Amino acid sequence: MDRHLPPNAALAALRIDGARLWQSLMDLAQIGATPKGGVCRIALTDLDRQGRDLFVQWARGAGCSIRVDAIGNIFARRAGQDDNLPPVMTGSHIDTQPTGGKFDGNYGVLAGLEVVRTLNAASVRTRAPIEVAVWTNEEGSRFVPVMMGSGVFAGAFTLEHALVQRDAQGVSVGEALASIGYAGQAGPAPAVSAYFEAHIEQGPVLENHQRVIGVVTAALGQRWYDVSVQGMEAHAGPTPMELRRDALLAASELVLEVNRIAVERAPHARSTVGTIEVFPNSRNVIPGRATLSVDLRAPDDAQLLDMDAAMRAACARIATERSLQVTVEQVVYFPPQPFTPQLVQAVRANADDLGYSSMDVVSGAGHDAVYLARVAPAAMIFVPCDNGISHNEIENADPTHLEAGCNVLLRAVLAAAEGVA
């Protein structure tokens, strides 16, 4: 018997099948499984096709219709009583890093599928349709930009721009989509009434605080830079220390300054130097050039711009003190993205109602929800991962935590699809 608004005791008692969710994750993880227990399923490869095919098979088995758009995003739709209403959407991605794990992205997709299966088993119909999305090339390990499918959907960049991007072998996104059979229909992105994404935290905060649910209030803004330090090569023996223009020494000072910038703006600021290249990279030559990457992150633009100014000031000071040149080029900017307060509160309240410990967190990583939040009300649900490890074959999560996050997702999606405040 179908159940309608308002939610009754039976609806409030609904719980997902944790064992079924876990088995789905383990089954999907067999596609691209690595010897160390991880997953290598790179976007738009044949392994990605196999993963997509399995999801589509499962979704059709759960009574969903399937739509694929022109960038290869998959939408599995569970019809609503009023199927003309914009859907409540949930999902994530199933592409991985070359040394990825079983849960990053995959959990969000299969948690959405588990919500559908749970509603089916309880014969619950929702007023609005529900869609589970599989977003294309979130990881960006083969093609850039990252979060490509959700970015096209949200209008962050054009379909045409995305389709012509090429991998290291010269294969374009458009060619790869066609080769795996997931080049879908072009057209405007449909309206979405609400978007929820469940995800492992990919960091250690929840585990350190012994909390089960992370209520994600926002995603950090990001500014990435390429920094070049130009000094002068010289012989390591005859050149006195005070007369050197050592590019690597200056770069090393900048590394410390970049770290200090975030430490002084705790708790949410982040700063990282991830790469350094040295020229000529010879044992007995003073380095004449060093190039490095800088990654700055903060929860709001004011702090991010403050960090930018501090980093540029440090570059100018080091250049003067070391008698060399430092140039800074910004190469990426993701604005800080707050999530919708009403949906964030719904996640928080549902965690409390279900008896799960929770805390507010800010996402330090980019997720598809960041782009969806530009076009629809959006929120995220985090659960812990072991030791905060992700983008690693040993990535792991507690099945009871995954079940808890999915139960919170079920409550949130059900309320949004039924129109409950």
Side-chain angles (χ1 to χ4, degrees):
M1 179 177 179
D2 294 338
R3 301 182 178 94
H4 308 283
L5 286 175
N8 54 29
L11 283 180
L14 273 182
R15 299 292 185 274
I16 66 100
D17 185 333
R20 181 171 57 195
L21 172 61
W22 180 262
Q23 190 59 53
S24 296
L25 285 161
M26 296 304 103
D27 290 345
L28 181 58
Q30 293 305 304
I31 300 174
T34 66
K36 293 182 180 179
V39 179
C40 177
R41 194 168 53 240
I42 306 301
L44 308 187
T45 60
D46 189 65
L47 287 172
D48 187 27
R49 176 195 61 76
Q50 293 177 43
R52 288 163 171 261
D53 288 351
L54 181 59
F55 170 78
V56 168
Q57 174 189 326
W58 283 340
R60 284 183 170 145
C64 294
S65 61
I66 301 296
R67 182 179 85 257
V68 180
D69 69 11
I71 195 62
N73 297 320
I74 304 169
F75 303 95
R77 184 182 183 95
R78 185 179 192 266
Q81 291 174 322
D82 184 349
D83 217 36
N84 294 316
L85 291 173
V88 174
M89 188 179 287
T90 185
S92 194
H93 61 96
I94 63 169
D95 66 307
T96 75
Q97 292 287 338
T99 53
K102 301 182 182 75
F103 305 100
D104 175 12
N106 302 286
Y107 170 55
V109 170
L110 296 183
L113 179 62
E114 178 56 33
V115 165
V116 169
R117 287 169 165 172
T118 299
L119 296 179
N120 288 349
S123 299
V124 175
R125 289 186 67 196
T126 55
R127 187 166 63 91
I130 295 170
E131 290 192 350
V132 182
V134 180
W135 303 107
T136 294
N137 188 50
E138 192 272 353
E139 292 290 0
S141 58
R142 181 182 180 189
F143 299 103
V144 292
V146 300
M147 299 165 0
M148 180 179 284
S150 56
V152 170
F153 185 89
F157 33 84
T158 66
L159 171 65
E160 293 72 21
H161 172 76
L163 290 176
V164 299
Q165 301 308 305
R166 296 185 179 274
D167 67 8
Q169 285 69 48
V171 178
S172 73
V173 170
E175 292 165 347
L177 281 169
S179 72
I180 67 167
Y182 277 89
Q185 296 299 310
V192 177
S193 65
Y195 178 78
F196 296 95
E197 183 167 350
H199 210 283
I200 59 169
E201 182 194 3
Q202 300 184 281
V205 175
L206 292 175
E207 186 176 70
N208 286 349
H209 286 83
Q210 297 184 323
R211 306 296 175 90
V212 173
I213 300 296
V215 182
V216 188
T217 59
L220 297 180
Q222 305 179 36
R223 291 183 186 269
W224 295 358
Y225 308 85
D226 288 338
V227 179
S228 178
V229 182
Q230 184 65 55
M232 179 176 289
E233 303 95 89
H235 197 299
T239 311
M241 301 301 290
E242 69 274 11
L243 297 180
R244 297 182 176 201
R245 297 169 61 195
D246 187 331
L248 180 56
L249 178 61
S252 301
E253 292 184 75
L254 182 57
V255 171
L256 295 175
E257 287 296 307
V258 167
N259 184 75
R260 179 186 59 78
I261 285 168
V263 170
E264 291 180 351
R265 292 162 177 82
H268 295 310
R270 307 282 190 269
S271 60
T272 306
V273 173
T275 66
I276 297 181
E277 297 179 0
V278 180
F279 176 85
N281 204 31
S282 177
R283 182 184 297 272
N284 63 343
V285 178
I286 298 164
R289 184 173 69 250
T291 57
L292 57 156
S293 65
V294 176
D295 177 331
L296 302 181
R297 306 189 186 206
D300 60 73
D301 255 329
Q303 187 173 76
L304 198 54
L305 288 170
D306 178 54
M307 295 169 70
D308 173 278
M311 187 266 293
R312 291 178 186 274
C315 288
R317 176 182 57 77
I318 292 168
T320 299
E321 292 176 352
R322 295 291 173 188
S323 300
L324 37 69
Q325 294 180 327
V326 180
T327 58
V328 179
E329 179 188 4
Q330 181 176 294
V331 293
V332 168
Y333 170 57
F334 286 112
Q337 181 60 66
F339 291 120
T340 307
Q342 295 90 334
L343 298 191
V344 171
Q345 173 55 26
V347 171
R348 188 182 294 113
N350 284 320
D352 290 345
D353 288 346
L354 290 164
Y356 301 135
S357 60
S358 69
M359 64 181 291
D360 287 2
V361 295
V362 175
S363 174
H367 297 287
D368 294 307
V370 173
Y371 279 144
L372 266 291
R374 298 186 182 185
V375 295
M380 294 193 73
I381 302 161
F382 277 177
V383 296
C385 53
D386 288 1
N387 299 309
I389 294 172
S390 185
H391 285 189
N392 188 312
E393 292 167 276
I394 66 171
E395 176 186 276
N396 196 29
D398 187 321
T400 64
H401 294 163
L402 299 172
E403 181 177 350
C406 193
N407 275 326
V408 174
L409 178 68
L410 170 66
R411 282 280 194 97
V413 168
L414 182 59
E418 294 282 17
V420 178

